[in-house]
Structures are given as C-alpha cells and as structure tokens.
Amino acid sequence: MKVFKYIGFAFLFGLIIQSCSNTKFLAEDEKLYTYTWFSEKGIGKVNNLPLKAYELYLVGIVKTNRRAVMLPRTNLTIFNYMKPSGTWGPRHYIHRVFGKPPVLLEDVNPEFRVRVMEQRLADMGLFDSDITLDLKIYGRNDKKARAKYQVLFRPAYTYRNLEFTRKNTPLDSLIVQSMAGTIIRTGNDYWLKELESERDRISTVLRNQGYYFFNPGYLFFHADTSAGNRQVDLRLMTKDEIPAKVFNKYSLRNINVQVKSNRDGVRKFIPVDSARVNHVNYLAFADYYRPDVITRHLSLDSGNIYNSGDHENTLRYLQGMEAFRSVNVLFSEVDSSSRQLDVTIELVPVKPLQTSLELNFASKSNDFLGPAAIGSISHMNIFKGAEQLIFQLDGGFEWQKRSKRKEYELGLNSYELGAQLKLVIPRFLVPFRLNKQSERYVPKTYMSLGFRKLKRVKYYNMDMSQARFGYSWRTSPEREFKLEPISIDYVRLTQTSDEFDEFLASYPQVAKSFEQQFIIGSTMSYTYTSNPKWKKFNKFYYNGTLDLSGNLLNAVYTVTGVKEPNSGETGSLFGVPYSQYTKLTNDLRYYIYINEKNQVASRLVAGIGIPYNNSSVMPYVKQYFAGGSQDIRAFYARTLGPGSYHPPDSVANSTFLDQSGEIKLMGNIEYRFPITYMTNGAVFMDAGNVWLLNDDPSRPGGKFEFNKFLDDIALGFGAGIRVDITYLVFRLDAAVPLRKPFLEENKWIFNNADWIWKDYIFSLAVGYPF
C-alpha cells in the first residue's frame, strides 16, 4: 500500500536526520539543553492549582530545540548543517525560517529559575512550599542536559485581617471609605497579584475624585504571618515620602483640541481654523472636521474635577472613531498654587483617501478553493464628520476539491463577482432626539447596497441584491450589539441547466428554497467575549443571532386587507413572493489555556429556522449545512444530512450534493499544541448534523425527531498541522469518520480493517476553524 511506503520513507529520513550529531558543533564548555518537566506533590492541598502551577511553568518551561515525530531536532539540524554561504537564495531562506540555534544550558540557567520560582511560590502565599532541582547531564561526552523541578506544595496562607494605618493625611478618610469595596476577602489565599490589584483599585478611586498625581506606588502592604495557623494579617499604609501635590485635588481649566496635519514630515502646528464649541477650544491645522463632531462627546469638561474614568473614556472614544492615526491626551499643571490642569488633546487624522488590494488563495467552509481578489477605495471623512464611504469590488474563481472516492467527485467550478457601497457614520442616526449617547464607545450607523453574481458552472447562475441599514455599539469591552432594522435580499436564479432542473424536480422542497424571492426583515445579534485579566486560563465567546423575515410586511398586508388572514394565498411584493421565517443561531466557544502554547478549544453551535405563513421552507441561502473544513471535517462540505438521509447513487453521481436543513447541532473539541518553530499541531473530534423541520418525502429520515436525533449524529476524528507565520495561519487537517448516520445497519465504521485508508479526508484552509 502506498501509504506504508510513505511512512517507510519518512522513517528512513528520520533515521538519517537522527544520525546527524548536533552536539559536535558545541564549544567544549557548552551543553545542549533538551527538556524540562515538573514533578508535583501535595497538589490536593492547593486551591486554584492550575493558576498557581501555571505561574511556575511560565518560569521553568523553556522553548528548546523540540523533537518532532521521526525527525529529532529538525530545526537545530537545519541550523547546523544548512548554513548559507550568502545572504539570499533557497538555502538562506530555509536556514532563516526553519533553522533555530541551539538552546544552551548556560542560557537556561536552571539554578536561577529555581530562585525565581521560590519567589513566585511566596508571592502566591505558599511560603513553606519547596522546590528542588534535579539536573541530569547525559549523552555522548555529556553534551546534553535536562532539568526536572520537584515541587512540594503545602497549603497556602490565608487572609485573617485587613487594616489601614492612618497617617493624618487628607487621603486617609477617602482610603478608609474605599475599603468597603475591597477585593481582599477574609479566608482567601494570600496572593501578591491580588494585593497589586487592590492598590490599583484604591488609586483609581482617589484619581476619580481629583487626585491626579496619585499612583499605586504610594501604597504598600505589610504582611504579618506571626498570627499562626497559616494566616496573614495585612496592614495597608501610605509611604512616608510623598510629594505635597499628591494630596491636592485638581480641577480642569481649559480643554484644548489640536487637530494636526496628516501629512508626513509636518511637525510644526500652525492652526488655520479655531472655534470654541461645547466649552472646548478647537484648533485645527486645516478644515478637516466639523468641530462639534469631536467636542460634543468628550467626557473631559472644563470646570469638572479630574476623573481618570473621564480621561480613559475620552481616549477610548476618539480612538473608536477610526478617524485618527494618533490620539494623545496631555495634562499640564497651570501653576503650583492653582490646583488646576489644562488638557490638550492632540489628534493626527488619517489620510482621507485609503485604497487596498488583497490577493489571496481562498479556502471556504464549503470546500471551494481558488484565487480571489478584493479591492476597495475609501473616503475616511466624506462629510467632515468622520463618516466613511467605502466602495468594494471582489471576485474570484473557485473549484470544489475532488475526493478520492467516485461518489464524491464534485468537480464544481464557480465564478463570483460582487460590488458593495457602504456608508459608516460614527454616531446613532435616528428619527428622534437622543438626550445622551455613550461617551465610552462610539456607536455606529451603517447603510449599504450590494450586488453579487454567482455562476455555478454546469448548474445555475444566481443574482443576489442586498440592502442594509443598521447600528452597532458596545456597552463594555466584552459586550457588542448589532441591530439591522432593515435587511433586504433579493435572490433569483437567472439560468439553470437541464441537469439542475432534473435535480430540483426530484426534490420539490429544495426547489422551493431556490425560488425567486424577497427576504425582507430584521436581524439582531449579541456577542460576548470574556476579557480575563491576569487569570487568563480560560476564555469564553458567545454569539447569538436572531433573523426575522417577512413578519412586518405580512402584518401590513393583513391589516390593510391586501392579504386575507389564513387564506393560504402567497403574498408578494412587486410580483415576487417574500419569505417569512424566524431563525435563531447560537455559537458558543470555550478556550482552556493549559499553558502559553497548549490549549483546549471547544465549540457548540445550535440553530433553528422556522418558516411559516408565507413560506413552507427556508430560503436556500438561509439554511444550515454540515461538513467541511470549518465544520465536521471528516465529511465533505454540504454532503452530510439532513438526518439519516443520504442521496441515492443517481443523485450523488450527478455531483450536486448540497444537503441542507432548518435545524443544526454541532460540537467540536480540539487540543492544540506546539511541534516545532512556526509549526503547531492539533487533534480534534467533531460531531453533529442538520435536520429538516418538516417531513420531506423525497428525503426520508431527514426530519428532526427528539427521541431519535442522537442516532443521527455524525462523528469524526482527526489531526492537523498549523503553520503560523504571525499574520497568517495555514492549516492542513486529516480526518476520518467514526460514525456515519446514513448507514442502515452498523453506523460505527472503525470495525473495518481499512477504514482509515478508505475514508480519510484532507482539508487545506487558512486560519483556525474556530
């Protein structure tokens, strides 16, 4: 079998590489550092063990010249044996990109790392825990070294009391009041990072009340462990030597906005435009913006007490306008006795005209791949209010990947061309007066018109016209909302082939989803992304999207008598039927960071689309699909489902295999780990399927039934390689199905001896699957 030949060649090549000695390139007193590992005892006695162990791993783990499967220390071998003679050429490129110099014992310095880890243990309240080093020198001529750190965990010390020691300063009473919001809780483990966070919190409280020159460095904690029983008494104090102005409360006098030149090389600021708007002195190098666009939402205001929250909100808002290349907020003391600050906001606008051209080789979730181009031209300040007008053209030629099995030889070619004109306004544009808008985040109003033409060679041509009007805004760094009260799509097939017509004739419900129709409705989405600070061992992402179509139009028709209620007649607009449905999609992702490079990523997708009244099926472009490089990777794109249905050979061999449904459930779990420099690996498992909401006689077994849907779940397993070149990730995954829901008898297939070689699927894509 050819596969075994390839494995044999790879093994032989590995032996050749392994026989190459890398230690002979080392100096006499140098040793190659090869590996680090930890041995832990007493782990059952430690709270928050993953967090605390990670603090030690950050210090102890060293990125060595890691071995790869059958290719030991490939990057070091390339570095030693492929040194280029010049500064260019293939040999130079391979050496620079794939080679890595040796990691030496003297550079790792395990003894020093032990001392640092001992300090980390103390910082985490593990004062009497212990760590020892077992350093092993081995190999030919003792030229290799590896370190084992043996950690003995003992229970952490906990907080017993927290008190503030007064020093008769103007800040004493404020600090005492702030202690009501302390994050230090009696009984919690002592942790230095928590004390630092508490200092930051108190400093923010004081700065929000006008104490501009105060900073966390003026506070310190004294920890007393003499109480016994592994308890700590904390005393918070201010330092003795603090400048007098730190105790002064400051207010804001003048607010100055300086809009500088956006031309490179112009450093001198000579304003030609000035105005006083909203208590702000506006000075501009040129007539770039309407002054009120910048000044009306500044949180900093003349006469107010200095507030660090207002400072941060002003900076965040101006950056969020996406109109400035540089934003700088400066504070200067008026004089030593006035207790006032002047504020200068320096803004450097972006260039008004921006162009971009992107050429790529795209790989989509439907397994289409091919060259594509996206070109755009943007005016970043079209109406002098930081509005963006963007015109974009994109197009590409794609073909669907062929498989090794005849029944999946798709061979579909596709041409696509699109154009879009979009206007983005950095504020809410509503037909009524808003008394107050956010001064922390920039809300945006957008409207767009678009047209796309898709040609699926041998089957059909499709035209899609789009119109959107919507809003996007944030309420916090984690929460983002999007509302499109107007979302219009007009979809029509302009040409079909006889083969495609025969396919639609055999599947009436599929044919109905392809009918010419208007999709007129609204969409709403909510996105939450957790933003962990120093406890960065997990990350949560959620996106929920609600898509409504035809409801308002149907209600208007019913009220005005254009359409009789429950009449069964199909409503239309300009003679074209409109779709009516409700669709809800949920996407949840959870990332567990084992350490800096290793993580477990998981995803759950659940969605349902319900057609009603004017529609009996969901539009084809709004249905769910399963399979492909971003989905269930052990099955080809859009070939899975619905349910236990599988097209007969006559349809499968026609090469039109898009299978869709109105319900989708999918789960993925993936373990990601480093292999070599720039190369990461992953093992994964995918499961799920799509189903129909209603019976379709032409697709038996496709309907979702609660008491049997688990029997319709497809399952796949695989492994992959990711080449990370910083700004781009190339991904190659190999997957095999473990369970095929469309099989009539035994749906589990790994009992066949050749199941791996018969059913494996390769997926080449750009970026991570989720």
Side-chain angles (χ1 to χ4, degrees), residues 508-554:
Q509 286 200 20
V510 177
K512 200 164 188 62
S513 70
F514 272 97
E515 288 180 349
Q516 178 179 342
Q517 56 195 298
F518 272 113
I519 304 174
I520 304 175
S522 305
T523 62
M524 293 161 279
S525 71
Y526 166 70
T527 302
Y528 175 84
T529 305
S530 65
N531 188 28
K533 296 181 181 178
W534 56 274
K535 292 184 178 181
K536 53 184 178 182
F537 291 86
N538 52 66
K539 184 177 180 180
F540 176 74
Y541 168 90
Y542 169 75
N543 175 264
T545 301
L546 179 63
D547 185 355
L548 305 171
S549 178
N551 299 304
L552 180 60
L553 186 60
N554 197 72

Side-chain angles (χ1 to χ4, degrees), residues 290-511:
R290 299 193 305 274
D292 65 299
V293 171
I294 298 174
T295 62
R296 63 186 168 190
H297 294 306
L298 297 181
S299 299
L300 298 171
D301 197 3
S302 178
N304 287 355
I305 297 297
Y306 170 81
N307 184 296
S308 64
D310 292 341
H311 179 186
E312 293 174 2
N313 290 341
T314 297
L315 190 62
R316 184 186 298 113
Y317 194 94
L318 292 172
Q319 291 172 338
M321 291 178 68
E322 298 179 357
F324 307 107
R325 191 170 59 194
S326 172
V327 178
N328 198 10
V329 181
L330 305 174
F331 294 86
S332 59
E333 191 175 10
V334 175
D335 55 56
S336 58
S337 60
S338 66
R339 298 188 180 183
Q340 289 183 314
L341 300 172
D342 282 339
V343 184
T344 301
I345 302 173
E346 297 179 343
L347 306 174
V348 179
V350 297
K351 297 291 181 65
L353 287 179
Q354 304 277 340
T355 60
S356 68
L357 177 62
E358 179 181 342
L359 302 175
N360 58 56
F361 191 85
S363 176
K364 295 185 177 180
S365 61
N366 60 359
D367 280 352
F368 274 87
L369 53 84
I374 303 174
S376 68
I377 181 170
S378 308
H379 197 296
M380 306 300 291
N381 188 28
I382 188 67
F383 302 123
K384 295 189 177 182
E387 303 91 352
Q388 301 177 22
L389 183 65
I390 306 163
F391 178 69
Q392 177 178 295
L393 281 175
D394 64 271
F397 167 69
E398 304 165 332
W399 59 90
Q400 197 164 19
K401 293 179 286 186
R402 289 180 177 270
S403 78
K404 57 189 177 299
R405 301 186 62 185
K406 183 177 179 181
E407 63 190 84
Y408 289 125
E409 287 184 354
L410 302 181
L412 291 176
N413 293 335
S414 174
Y415 302 89
E416 190 170 356
L417 181 65
Q420 185 187 65
L421 183 66
K422 185 175 184 179
L423 177 65
V424 181
I425 303 171
R427 55 190 174 277
F428 282 126
L429 190 64
V430 293
F432 51 86
R433 180 180 178 82
L434 289 176
N435 293 327
K436 186 174 179 61
Q437 294 193 36
S438 172
E439 294 181 346
R440 299 182 62 196
Y441 303 97
V442 181
K444 294 181 180 179
T445 303
Y446 60 90
M447 53 197 77
S448 66
L449 295 173
F451 176 80
R452 304 197 69 78
K453 190 171 188 66
L454 172 66
K455 181 178 179 64
R456 187 74 64 87
V457 177
K458 296 183 180 181
Y459 296 109
Y460 63 80
N461 294 350
M462 178 182 288
D463 289 351
M464 294 171 283
S465 303
Q466 298 177 335
R468 302 282 189 270
F469 180 86
Y471 308 96
S472 63
W473 70 96
R474 285 184 176 274
T475 57
S476 70
E478 299 84 9
R479 294 174 174 83
E480 182 179 8
F481 297 84
K482 188 175 181 179
L483 171 64
E484 287 184 355
I486 300 175
S487 176
I488 303 174
D489 293 88
Y490 175 51
V491 183
R492 69 189 185 104
L493 291 174
T494 58
Q495 183 180 350
T496 58
S497 67
D498 292 339
E499 188 175 0
F500 184 65
D501 290 337
E502 290 177 8
F503 172 82
L504 295 183
S506 301
Y507 295 87
Q509 286 200 20
V510 177

Side-chain angles (χ1 to χ4, degrees), residues 588-746:
L588 300 93
R589 306 174 189 180
Y590 191 65
Y591 303 88
I592 301 175
Y593 292 87
I594 300 173
N595 55 43
E596 185 179 4
K597 295 291 185 180
N598 297 63
Q599 64 173 266
V600 177
S602 57
R603 173 176 63 171
L604 175 65
V605 176
I608 182 171
I610 305 174
Y612 47 84
N613 289 347
N614 212 54
S615 298
S616 58
V617 296
M618 294 280 292
Y620 175 78
V621 295
K622 295 291 185 177
Q623 293 191 10
Y624 295 108
F625 303 90
S629 59
Q630 313 287 341
D631 203 90
I632 304 174
R633 285 161 278 188
F635 296 84
Y636 288 100
R638 306 190 178 198
T639 63
L640 184 59
S644 61
Y645 170 75
H646 189 62
D649 291 341
S650 60
V651 177
N653 292 333
S654 72
T655 71
F656 188 87
L657 295 175
D658 284 4
Q659 302 299 327
S660 60
E662 290 111 350
I663 298 175
K664 180 170 185 175
L665 286 174
M666 182 187 67
N668 315 86
I669 186 166
E670 183 170 290
Y671 172 57
R672 300 168 180 171
F673 54 91
I675 298 178
T676 61
Y677 175 64
M678 294 177 58
T679 306
N680 299 314
V683 292
F684 56 84
M685 185 169 288
D686 307 320
N689 207 337
V690 296
W691 291 265
L692 302 175
L693 195 63
N694 302 306
D695 272 321
D696 182 358
S698 63
R699 290 182 286 178
K703 182 182 177 182
F704 180 88
E705 297 182 17
F706 190 78
N707 60 349
K708 61 163 290 188
F709 80 94
L710 289 177
D711 196 45
D712 295 336
I713 295 294
L715 185 65
F717 171 81
I721 294 176
R722 290 92 166 93
V723 180
D724 188 348
I725 55 176
T726 305
Y727 55 87
L728 201 61
V729 176
F730 293 99
R731 173 167 56 92
L732 176 63
D733 289 331
V736 292
L738 299 179
R739 191 175 191 277
K740 295 181 178 181
F742 50 80
L743 296 180
E744 294 183 0
E745 297 181 357
N746 188 7

Side-chain angles (χ1 to χ4, degrees), residues 40-54:
E40 299 94 356
K41 293 183 180 180
I43 57 178
K45 303 176 182 179
V46 181
N47 298 323
N48 297 319
L49 177 65
L51 296 173
K52 296 178 178 180
Y54 182 68

